[in-house]
Amino acid sequence: MIFTALRSSVRTGIKRTSAHHTVRNATSGPGIPSGALSSWYNMFGKSNAGYITWIVAGVLVGEGITGFGINTMWASVNKGRTYDTVDWSKFVVEDDDDDDEEDEDDDEGGDDEDGEEGEKEDEEEDDDDDE
């Protein structure tokens, strides 16, 4: 008996909701003017090639915007931590000029600091020229 009452009330509730169903007008869409939609359809929607072009262009533009936004956000969060944003003037080391001069002497003359080995090589070259 209880089940019969529930069953009949459910049926009448379904009938009431279906009776109030209204038909929407075609202009009550998502808020995009119908002229814009029809011109988009005439350009891109009529053929597969046009539609695929629309999708590829949308993906490229969306990727560009997203990439720019993510890069900007990353740069702002990591400012001063990346190679491009580090202030390299803080790391300048002033070298002594004396060290550089000693290195140049070693490169020119040979192993000895006085340059004796370099002089020996010069003497050997002079002996070769005499012969």
Side-chain angles (χ1 to χ4, degrees):
M1 184 137 137
I2 295 176
F3 294 113
T4 310
L6 284 174
R7 193 177 317 150
S8 65
S9 66
V10 168
R11 287 182 185 165
T12 56
I14 292 173
K15 289 179 186 176
R16 286 183 192 160
T17 57
S18 64
H20 294 293
H21 187 283
T22 58
V23 178
R24 283 187 164 186
N25 194 356
T27 60
S28 64
I32 300 172
S34 62
L37 288 176
S38 65
S39 65
W40 176 88
Y41 179 78
N42 288 333
M43 267 198 227
F44 301 109
K46 280 188 174 181
S47 69
N48 284 340
Y51 190 67
I52 290 172
T53 302
W54 170 260
I55 295 217
V56 168
V59 166
L60 292 175
V61 168
E63 177 66 26
I65 292 170
T66 305
F68 177 77
I70 295 295
N71 286 339
T72 303
M73 182 184 69
W74 181 264
S76 68
V77 168
N78 292 313
K79 187 174 184 178
R81 297 179 186 156
T82 60
Y83 183 82
D84 295 335
T85 59
V86 170
D87 183 17
W88 292 105
S89 64
K90 294 178 183 177
F91 301 104
V92 173
V93 177
E94 295 182 20
D95 291 334
D96 293 336
D97 291 335
D98 297 337
D99 294 339
D100 292 338
E101 289 176 7
E102 288 178 12
D103 291 338
E104 290 174 5
D105 289 342
D106 290 343
D107 292 340
E108 291 173 5
D111 294 336
D112 195 8
E113 291 180 11
D114 296 333
E116 292 177 5
E117 187 173 322
E119 291 176 7
K120 289 179 186 176
E121 290 174 3
D122 291 339
E123 290 174 4
E124 290 175 6
E125 288 177 9
D126 291 339
D127 291 339
D128 291 339
D129 291 338
D130 292 339
E131 294 175 3

